[in-house]
Amino acid sequence: MDLMEKIFALAKRRGFIYPGSEIYGGFSGFWDYGPLGVELKNNIKKEWWKSLVYEREDVVGLDSAIIMNPKVWEVSGHVEAFTDPLVECKACHHRFRADKVEANVCPDCGGKLTEPKKFNLLTEVYVGTTEEGKEKAYLRGEITQGVFVNFKNVVDSTRIKIPFGIAQIGKAFRNEITAGNFTFRSREFEQMELEYFVEPEAKEAERMFEFWKNARLNWYISLGMSKINLRFREHEDKERAHYAAKAEDIEYKAPFGWSEFEGIHNRTDYDLTKHNLKYKDDQGKEYTPWVIETSGGVDRAALFFLLNAYHEEKERIILKLHPKLAPYKVAVFPLLANKEELVKKAREVYGGLRKDLFVAWDDRGNIGKRYFAQDEIGTPWCVTVDFTTLGDETVTVRDRDSTKQERVAIDKLAEYFQNKLSI
Ligand code: GAP
């Protein structure tokens, strides 16, 4: 099995990610997150929000609607230009993205392909209560436009001044020609984006572009992503989106090759000009700000953090997820499930820790098996209540990565884990 197959199998087996609508044969490009997957994704989003909204004075948050007035997408240029080049096999009629196939040959049957034509990625929906009155709208193709259409609302309702940013996390939808590589290219996915507004000067925009590019790379590294698996790649002229004057990707070295993880874009005054929006500073000077954007995929982050964390050591499978991202922070076990006094004490410890942390309980099988099961889902610490506990109110804490064990007093446990998690 290659690494992608191992991650796919583990994700399903342990409740991280399931194929969407699986009992009806699935639905290409759609995925469901299980009990552990939703925790991983929530932890990624929580850390992202903390680093941008809570730790910075110059960034505020937003949660805009998924469906907007269709005029938004006409004005933003997406109806016209949010396209990928599509080719179709003349023999089997399978469709592909022209830039992902080689030598004009169908990857499925070897047949000849048609000339590329533009294929719009926006997903159409119909809104209204009567057949005649139904209006065509779009599921948002990027979460970004919700920020721009609220630019004036945010400026008018807060005390924020340029330079400032608006952060948003939410679902986006693209009718991708070929979804694939597990969740990497989905038709429904989540984005976490910062739109950072600066004065309309190329030098200032360039300075902030470099700042945000490095800040975003360092954020991934601070959460355990290996430096050697990350790199920057600047877009060539022909691959840049219609709104970007400059674009660089943070790429991840995935098993299927270096792949886009997050895009950093200089959108200049493209969007605010299109929406006819301006900013007035304290001196009454009016201008159209430029925008530096950082746009990351939550699903790609979840997939790449899983790939980056996957380790095999002898017969152990370990997800070495950063403790801040791990679904469960701690697992609590009674040494023996059939000793009432051990189970009672362990339930007390479990109940106490659950007040502040997401904690697992396990009393099946032997301790070794329980450790292995927790390693495989990335739980950083396991707590065992044994016979010594009943005498001295201490427990064994076992570390996932080193397997080292130490004894910690029950009344110090919560503080012990909080200290470890604050690093
Ligand atoms: N607002 C700018 C924007 O949307 P993008 O480069 O098209 O830029 C940003 O997308 C990020 O969204 C990508 O770097 C990727 O992480 C994520 N993303 C884009 N398309 C995706 C898809 N089909 N499936 C999963 N994630 C996707």
Side-chain angles (χ1 to χ4, degrees):
M1 267 210 276
D2 70 17
L3 182 55
M4 281 303 282
E5 288 168 338
K6 286 177 181 173
I7 288 292
F8 184 82
L10 188 149
K12 172 93 199 297
R13 184 171 73 248
R14 301 309 308 271
F16 281 93
I17 307 171
Y18 312 125
S21 320
E22 195 183 12
I23 60 166
Y24 292 101
F27 203 45
S28 173
F30 296 90
W31 299 92
D32 297 333
Y33 286 78
L36 298 190
V38 65
E39 294 300 326
L40 173 62
K41 269 223 297 188
N42 282 345
N43 291 341
I44 292 169
K45 292 188 276 186
K46 201 164 66 191
E47 289 303 316
W48 185 90
W49 197 262
K50 188 157 117 332
S51 78
L52 288 170
V53 182
Y54 297 159
E55 289 177 4
R56 296 190 62 98
E57 281 184 52
D58 57 349
V59 177
V60 292
L62 182 80
D63 183 11
S64 65
I66 287 177
I67 299 178
M68 292 186 274
N69 188 317
K71 275 189 202 140
V72 172
W73 302 104
E74 285 157 27
V75 171
S76 70
H78 283 76
V79 171
E80 169 66 27
F82 196 50
T83 59
D84 275 339
L86 175 135
V87 287
E88 187 173 317
C89 174
K90 290 178 183 169
C92 70
H93 300 289
H94 289 173
R95 294 173 150 206
F96 307 94
R97 246 174 78 169
D99 55 337
K100 303 282 176 202
V101 287
E102 277 167 27
N104 201 28
V105 171
C106 173
D108 290 349
C109 77
K112 278 207 156 179
L113 301 172
T114 58
E115 285 300 307
K117 62 177 185 196
K118 283 184 179 176
F119 179 80
N120 195 289
L121 302 182
L122 288 175
T123 313
E124 293 171 6
V125 285
Y126 291 85
V127 184
T129 48
T130 60
E131 268 320 305
E132 317 77 63
K134 269 188 188 162
E135 192 181 0
K136 185 167 90 174
Y138 303 97
L139 296 178
R140 60 187 177 189
E142 57 167 4
I143 62 171
T144 333
Q145 295 304 320
V147 170
F148 297 135
V149 300
N150 282 292
F151 176 77
K152 190 170 176 328
N153 281 337
V154 172
V155 171
D156 290 349
S157 59
T158 66
R159 285 180 295 160
I160 206 106
K161 303 250 182 302
I162 278 191
F164 74 87
I166 302 180
Q168 180 169 222
I169 299 176
K171 292 264 187 176
F173 302 81
R174 292 184 191 175
N175 201 3
E176 295 283 358
I177 297 169
T178 37
N181 284 327
F182 199 7
T183 56
F184 176 78
R185 195 169 304 286
S186 307
R187 296 195 164 105
E188 172 179 341
F189 54 95
E190 252 181 309
Q191 293 185 310
M192 40 190 186
E193 290 196 339
L194 171 72
E195 307 303 320
Y196 198 79
F197 300 92
V198 298
E199 288 193 28
E201 285 168 20
K203 266 201 173 152
E204 175 62 358
E206 187 52 33
R207 190 177 72 80
M208 290 320 294
F209 188 97
E210 287 305 309
F211 172 83
W212 282 114
K213 197 180 101 176
N214 291 312
R216 294 300 305 136
L217 183 85
N218 289 334
W219 183 79
Y220 288 113
I221 293 169
S222 76
L223 288 172
M225 205 44 101
S226 309
K227 255 188 196 165
I228 51 162
N229 285 339
L230 298 173
R231 73 173 188 192
F232 292 119
R233 187 184 69 82
E234 183 160 2
H235 281 208
E236 291 171 24
D237 288 352
K238 63 176 176 4
E239 60 177 321
R240 270 201 309 268
H242 62 280
Y243 48 72
K246 178 174 171 159
E248 267 188 68
D249 288 340
I250 297 174
E251 290 191 330
Y252 180 77
K253 196 177 180 188
F256 45 88
W258 284 100
S259 308
E260 178 184 343
F261 195 167
E262 167 153 347
I264 324 296
H265 307 129
N266 178 353
R267 295 178 79 123
T268 66
D269 57 0
Y270 174 87
D271 302 272
L272 293 186
T273 301
K274 288 274 181 192
H275 295 300
N276 200 16
L277 291 160
K278 286 191 186 309
Y279 174 84
K280 204 185 248 180
D281 71 14
D282 287 345
Q283 281 71 49
K285 193 173 104 189
E286 205 175 51
Y287 58 85
T288 310
W290 281 25
V291 178
I292 303 303
E293 167 183 74
T294 70
S295 177
V298 181
D299 309 80
R300 282 193 193 172
L303 175 62
F304 292 159
F305 274 120
L306 284 174
L307 286 165
N308 184 75
Y310 187 91
H311 286 78
E312 287 174 5
E313 283 173 18
K314 295 190 185 128
E315 71 273 46
R316 276 207 309 156
I317 292 174
I318 318 163
L319 278 188
K320 293 189 179 177
L321 288 168
H322 191 289
K324 285 180 178 158
L325 300 184
Y328 290 116
K329 308 304 175 202
V330 181
V332 176
F333 321 138
L335 179 66
L336 300 170
N338 57 1
K339 289 280 177 239
E340 205 182 307
E341 62 275 38
L342 289 182
V343 175
K344 188 165 169 260
K345 192 77 200 165
R347 292 297 302 183
E348 263 174 52
V349 172
Y350 173 66
L353 288 174
R354 268 169 67 99
K355 290 192 185 111
D356 300 306
L357 298 170
F358 193 44
V359 186
W361 169 265
D362 196 357
D363 57 9
R364 297 159 308 165
N366 62 40
I367 286 285
K369 280 203 178 130
R370 294 181 210 160
Y371 283 154
F372 277 26
Q374 294 301 325
D375 290 343
E376 202 186 38
I377 59 171
T379 309
W381 302 288
C382 292
V383 167
T384 305
V385 170
D386 54 21
F387 291 105
T388 312
T389 312
L390 303 179
D392 70 359
E393 291 283 310
T394 66
V395 290
T396 304
V397 178
R398 182 258 197 188
D399 181 89
R400 175 194 69 197
D401 298 345
S402 67
T403 71
K404 285 208 175 102
Q405 303 191 3
E406 60 178 319
R407 289 211 73 93
V408 179
I410 291 174
D411 62 358
K412 294 271 181 296
L413 261 188
E415 190 187 332
Y416 173 91
F417 291 125
Q418 290 301 352
N419 286 342
K420 289 207 173 261
L421 280 164
S422 65
I423 296 168

